[in-house]
Amino acid sequence: MKWYKFIIYFQLFAFAVLTVVDGVRYMNGMIYEGYARQVYLMYPGMQTMDVIFGIFCFLMAGYAIYVRQGLANFKAASVKQYYAFLIVGIAYSLLYMAVVSGVTGVPIGSVLRMNAGITANIGIRVGIIFANITYFKKRGHLFVN
């Protein structure tokens, strides 16, 4: 149960904190590292999208804590909610990349290369999903509340 404890005592809290930080960065334009004004002047639609994505980050942070509570209480639906949390995080990252590509006209492959942090986030979440499939299959009998 060490992995389970890692998930409920560290991973989901860390995801929540990092997601709140990302939300603040999106909403303040800090993701552009000092070039937000120039980016927003060149691509006005990005400011609106950044605010929307920032709000979504706050919602995902709250959902991470909700999922954590379900897992900690061995709720039957919590494992599926955990997978949903990870999958929505991947979808959100891919959607953001597509929006950036659409607004700026930069090909999505280039956007992925320019945003190594988001690309790494996708890879980490995919890895976590595959690691957890086997793990929770063996422990599914515990989640019955």
Side-chain angles (χ1 to χ4, degrees), residues 16 19-20 56-68 85:
T19 304
V20 166
F56 183 76
C57 284
F58 296 138
L59 294 172
M60 284 298 290
Y63 189 61
I65 299 304
Y66 174 79
V67 169
R68 185 261 175 224
F85 170 76

Side-chain angles (χ1 to χ4, degrees), residues 1-19:
M1 297 297 286
K2 288 180 183 179
W3 181 248
Y4 166 77
K5 289 181 180 181
F6 170 77
I7 291 170
I8 66 168
Y9 292 122
F10 177 75
Q11 185 187 71
L12 287 168
F13 283 125
F15 271 141
V17 169
L18 294 174
T19 304

